[in-house]
Amino acid sequence: MKQTPKLSLMLLFFCSMSLFSQFNVNNLSLETGYGYTGAIEPYYKGYKSNFSGMNHFNVGIRYMLNEKIGAKVSYKLDHFVNDPGGDLGITYSTIGVSGIYNIGKQFGLTYWTRDRVGVNAHVDAGVAFAYMIGQNDFEKVGVVGIGITPMVNLSNDFALTMDFTHNFTMKQHYGFDGQLVNADYEPTSGGFYNFSFGLIYYLGENRYHSDWY
């Protein structure tokens, strides 16, 4: 009789594992995007350029811990360049991590669209290596962002994305024009945004990804 509770727990465990195995899904994906980067501040407003344009690229790998929560490691490249001219500006090479939340599943969007349309929200944190154009110098800038990523399911392997992210910069000494903001080298904060289109490639041996299952 003393073995009965243990035996019951073991049977329950194996039954649960068997049931779970029938619903295995892929959790890993590769993602890339290209689009517009827009400088908000700081930069000298007297320039004819606003140092914005189609100069954003990103690539990353995402892992979903479950159907709603995941994490992502990414690399982003943003050029803020004087147009016309191109001799002033700054380039951000950012390495970061993101927390992902599938709000499409939270509010039933994937259900109502029969797994055709979904939405992920994300919070980002990273370090940007900021290189001033035409200068042999760079600085490290902290970048924190918040964004939303609508997704369109194309197949079991691919999905299209559209992303909008608002980024906040911390301890920034040089503006998006590549010029020193304060003569006394006091750091400041700033911001920029990204609007991009991209592609998701789902990895794994299972038929479905957790984004859609």
Side-chain angles (χ1 to χ4, degrees):
M1 295 294 294
K2 293 182 180 180
Q3 299 297 322
T4 302
K6 292 184 178 180
L7 181 61
S8 299
L9 288 173
M10 289 178 64
L11 288 173
L12 181 61
F13 173 78
F14 284 113
C15 288
S16 299
M17 290 298 293
S18 176
L19 181 62
F20 178 77
S21 66
Q22 298 177 33
F23 296 96
N24 280 346
V25 293
N26 298 319
N27 297 303
L28 198 63
S29 62
L30 292 176
E31 306 182 8
T32 186
Y34 171 77
Y36 187 87
T37 185
I40 300 174
E41 61 178 357
Y43 66 88
Y44 177 56
K45 304 299 182 179
Y47 291 119
K48 294 181 180 180
S49 172
N50 61 2
F51 297 90
S52 304
M54 295 294 291
N55 296 312
H56 171 78
F57 169 77
N58 68 78
V59 62
I61 184 166
R62 173 167 58 96
Y63 183 82
M64 298 301 292
L65 301 172
N66 55 48
E67 65 175 6
K68 293 181 181 178
I69 299 174
K72 181 179 177 180
V73 178
S74 63
Y75 169 77
K76 300 179 182 180
L77 183 65
D78 292 280
H79 292 292
F80 303 93
V81 61
N82 183 41
D83 186 15
D87 54 344
L88 294 173
I90 198 167
T91 296
Y92 275 22
S93 295
T94 306
I95 299 174
V97 295
S98 304
I100 309 294
Y101 190 74
N102 192 322
I103 59 176
K105 286 196 174 183
Q106 178 65 46
F107 295 103
L109 179 61
T110 52
Y111 173 79
W112 291 110
T113 61
R114 297 187 177 183
D115 287 333
R116 288 299 176 190
V117 179
V119 180
N120 281 341
H122 58 91
V123 177
D124 313 326
V127 176
F129 295 86
Y131 298 88
M132 278 61 75
I133 295 176
Q135 304 179 45
N136 188 24
D137 196 10
F138 81 97
E139 69 169 345
K140 291 185 289 186
V141 178
V143 180
V144 176
I146 183 170
I148 188 167
T149 310
M151 305 178 292
V152 178
N153 190 8
L154 299 179
S155 69
N156 291 335
D157 296 321
F158 293 97
L160 288 176
T161 65
M162 181 177 65
D163 180 83
F164 178 81
T165 302
H166 190 287
N167 303 285
F168 304 89
T169 61
M170 297 170 288
K171 293 187 176 181
Q172 182 178 358
H173 296 91
Y174 291 85
F176 296 112
D177 52 9
Q179 306 302 304
L180 196 62
V181 177
N182 297 310
D184 55 2
Y185 206 68
E186 283 294 320
T188 186
S189 59
F192 65 98
Y193 63 90
N194 304 123
F195 182 78
S196 61
F197 294 90
L199 186 68
I200 298 174
Y201 175 60
Y202 295 117
L203 302 172
E205 298 180 352
N206 297 303
R207 183 175 181 182
Y208 300 107
H209 189 273
S210 59
D211 281 351
W212 308 108
Y213 189 81

